[in-house]
Each structure stands twice: as C-alpha cells, then as structure tokens.
Amino acid sequence: MLGTIANTGTILTGSILGSVLKKGIKPKYQGALFNAMGLAATGLGIDSVVSNMPKSQYPVLFIVSLAAGSLVGTMLDIDGGFKKLTKRFGKSELGKGLSTGILLYCIGSLSILGPIQSALYGDNTFLFTNATLDLVTSTVLASTYGIGMALAAPVLFGWQGAIFLGATFLQGFLGDALMCEISIIGGFLIATSGLSILEIKDCKTLNMLPSLLVPILFFLCIGKL
C-alpha cells in the first residue's frame, strides 16, 4: 500500500500547492509540465512493453487483445460515457474540477495496474510514476478550482486500495505468465496515455481498457487460470 499512500499524498500536496497559486498557473508553464509528464508516461509504457514482450509465451495475444478490447470499448463508448459523466456532475465549478480530477486520477492504466503490481510483486514503480503525474495534475486543477480538489484524494485511496486487496486475494490465480501479458498490454495503454498528454494522438485510451480483460479470458479458456 506504500505506493497508494504516496499517490494519495501527492494529490493532497498538489491540491494545497495549487490553491496557494490563486491566479492559476500560466498556460506556458502548464504546457511545460504536461510535456514532461507525457514524455515520462510514454517512456514508461515503452519500457513495460520491451521488458515483458521477450517473456511472452503467446506473442500474438497482445495484438488480439488490443484489437478486440478496443472494439468492445468503442462499441460501449466508454470514453464518451465518462465525458458525459463529467458534464453531468460538473454543474458547479468545483463539481466540474472534482469529476475531471477523479477520472484522471482513477481511470487510467497506471492507477489500475499499479496496485496489482504492488500487491503481487511489491513493485511500486507504476504507482510512484502515477503519483508524480497526479502531483502535477492536482496542482494545475487546484490552481483553478481551489482546495476542494483535495476531496479527490480519499476517492483515489479507496479505488486503489480496493484493487490492491482484490489482487492480493486473487494472488494464487494471477500467475507470472498472465501478468506478463497484462503488463505488455498495460504498457501500450500507458504509452497511449502519454501520447494523449503530449497531444500527439488521442487514442481514446479509455475505450482500450477492455483489452486488459482479454488475456484473463484467454487463460480461462485454455485452462491455465
């Protein structure tokens, strides 16, 4: 849980720091910060793919997973649904900031894969990276919407805590082979998040999230789960 605690702490810190900057952070500085974070996310995603792909026992599975998962996600319009949710709960300025922040903090590859890696292997790399990203994001959001953005911190803690406990409970089922395949796909999703932050290509990463479930279904079908 160390990574989750650190992630929660950075959101609180960023919210306090941003609220002090009452006039907001100038766009050029926001751009510089997000460029740095976008590059970091892209690099981390590529590293996850390169590190795990040689270990894969099913070298075509990630292609099938990304294709099938993206199709399902696009049919369900997960990305569009979250945008509508943001607008629905964003009637007030703070409500808009909180809904946007919670989605950014919680619904991302790092925030989902991070607690799993932490629970299974004690590896907090993804969570520490996510914490750094969230520090920047929460600072920018709080500089616009105020200290109330700190309310997103306990939501993130509950979200990642639940994933951590779930992964711990299912540890006997989530073997190294399955986690290797999930890590490859997760790496691609993290890299696409970075590309979106850099405004190079909006891959609608939310629509690609079902890809993470395809290896689980595949392992169930072949009797290895």
Side-chain angles (χ1 to χ4, degrees), residues 62-110:
F62 79 93
I63 301 175
V64 176
S65 299
L66 288 171
S70 297
L71 281 174
V72 171
T74 301
M75 290 172 63
L76 295 175
D77 194 18
I78 299 174
D79 183 77
F82 275 109
K83 287 180 179 177
K84 291 178 182 177
L85 189 66
T86 301
K87 292 179 181 179
R88 181 176 299 177
F89 291 99
K91 295 179 180 179
S92 67
E93 286 301 305
L94 178 57
K96 180 180 180 181
L98 278 174
S99 59
T100 301
I102 289 171
L103 292 179
L104 288 174
Y105 303 149
C106 298
I107 310 300
S109 304
L110 287 169

Side-chain angles (χ1 to χ4, degrees), residues 29-43:
Y29 298 128
Q30 289 185 20
L33 290 171
F34 281 120
N35 282 342
M37 295 304 100
L39 285 171
T42 303

